[in-house]
Amino acid sequence: MAWQSAVFEVIDMRSFSNLWFWIALAVMWSTASHWVLGVPFDMVTRAARRGGQAQADLEDLVRINVDRILFFAGAAGAWLIGVTSFLLTMLALLGFVYGIEFAQAVFCLFLPMSLVWAKGLRTARRIRAEALTGAALRRRLKGQRIFTQAVGMVAIFVTAMWGMYRNLAYLPLGD
């Protein structure tokens, strides 16, 4: 039992005061911003600069990823919406009604990301429906990236404010 006590003393298990939570939050939004519909954004900028084979590679990778996204959405879309809604509702209730900080932290991670996923699905559908290529495709991917970055900035700000509130509201008071 002594090693467990030592672990919990070294690693703060409260979410908003834990450095690992903030690192995970930053990595999650950085990764989401870099990978637009499963395509690394540097490919988009390279295709804009070089054209030719770089543009063809971008279009091929976007086509493959759009097909995968739309296949999964078609095959399990209703189930994914149901399970996601259930999990987000459960996290919201556990976190904000019952006061479980870990559920609040996970909710702060996944609610904004679910918005990005939904917008990504919509973008994939539009790319396929409009058969986008070239500059129009790059513009659509750039728009998705800007949306992701905007949601990420708001999510990080709101999470930071809520985390500071939680940390300040529950400070252990000395004698």
Side-chain angles (χ1 to χ4, degrees), residues 11-29 101-110 155-156 158-160 162-164 167:
I11 301 173
D12 186 6
M13 297 309 283
R14 290 189 26 219
S15 301
F16 294 113
S17 59
N18 190 330
L19 177 64
W20 292 109
F21 171 76
W22 297 105
I23 291 171
L25 180 73
V27 167
M28 181 184 79
W29 284 110
E101 188 174 322
F102 181 74
Q104 292 173 2
V106 175
F107 183 81
C108 288
L109 290 173
F110 290 126
I156 289 170
V158 169
T159 302
W162 182 254
M164 282 192 287
N167 287 337

Side-chain angles (χ1 to χ4, degrees), residues 13-85:
M13 297 309 283
R14 290 189 26 219
S15 301
F16 294 113
S17 59
N18 190 330
L19 177 64
W20 292 109
F21 171 76
W22 297 105
I23 291 171
L25 180 73
V27 167
M28 181 184 79
W29 284 110
S30 174
T31 303
S33 171
H34 180 68
W35 293 86
V36 180
L37 297 180
V39 177
F41 197 74
D42 62 288
M43 283 188 74
V44 177
T45 56
R46 190 175 325 124
R49 272 188 266 125
R50 294 185 188 167
Q53 187 60 43
Q55 180 65 37
D57 291 345
L58 173 68
E59 291 172 2
D60 290 340
L61 190 54
V62 169
R63 181 187 48 78
I64 291 167
N65 285 330
V66 163
D67 288 347
R68 288 187 71 234
I69 290 167
L70 295 179
F71 171 77
F72 287 124
W79 282 100
L80 287 174
I81 290 171
V83 169
T84 301
S85 298

Side-chain angles (χ1 to χ4, degrees), residues 98-130:
Y98 293 105
I100 299 172
E101 188 174 322
F102 181 74
Q104 292 173 2
V106 175
F107 183 81
C108 288
L109 290 173
F110 290 126
L111 177 68
M113 189 55 71
S114 67
L115 297 174
V116 170
W117 290 331
K119 177 72 164 67
L121 177 60
R122 183 172 179 223
T123 300
R125 285 188 175 138
R126 290 185 78 178
I127 288 171
R128 179 186 274 175
E130 298 171 13

